[in-house]
Amino acid sequence: YPNPAKESFMVDGLIGKSQIQVFNVQGKLVQTYSSTDSKLEIERNNIPSGIYFVKISGANTTVLEKVMFE
């Protein structure tokens, strides 16, 4: 949240050590994060506007979410 995002978005509900990867629509890896906290703020940095996929992996679970940067 929020989605669409302007400057950053939050990944909430992480359990244990998690890896978060951001991919563009062509499937190219844009950014990778690692966290042991239950929340992680993903900042836009130099990511252009568009649609991205966020892959969240950890604790025997993998989730893929769509995020849009305005």
Side-chain angles (χ1 to χ4, degrees):
Y1 63 88
N3 194 9
K6 291 185 187 235
E7 298 301 321
S8 66
F9 65 92
M10 295 294 294
V11 177
D12 196 358
L14 300 173
I15 300 171
K17 185 173 180 170
S18 300
Q19 181 179 28
I20 297 91
Q21 298 173 299
V22 180
F23 297 90
N24 64 18
V25 292
Q26 288 82 27
K28 180 180 177 188
L29 181 62
V30 176
Q31 290 184 351
T32 300
Y33 301 87
S34 187
S35 178
T36 55
D37 295 330
S38 63
K39 281 186 180 181
L40 177 66
E41 182 176 13
I42 306 291
E43 294 187 12
R44 184 173 184 165
N45 296 328
N46 294 321
I47 299 175
S49 296
I51 297 173
Y52 294 86
F53 295 95
V54 179
K55 181 180 177 183
I56 305 160
S57 303
N60 302 322
T61 303
T62 300
V63 176
L64 188 65
E65 295 287 336
K66 183 170 63 172
V67 174
M68 185 171 91
F69 277 120
E70 294 182 324

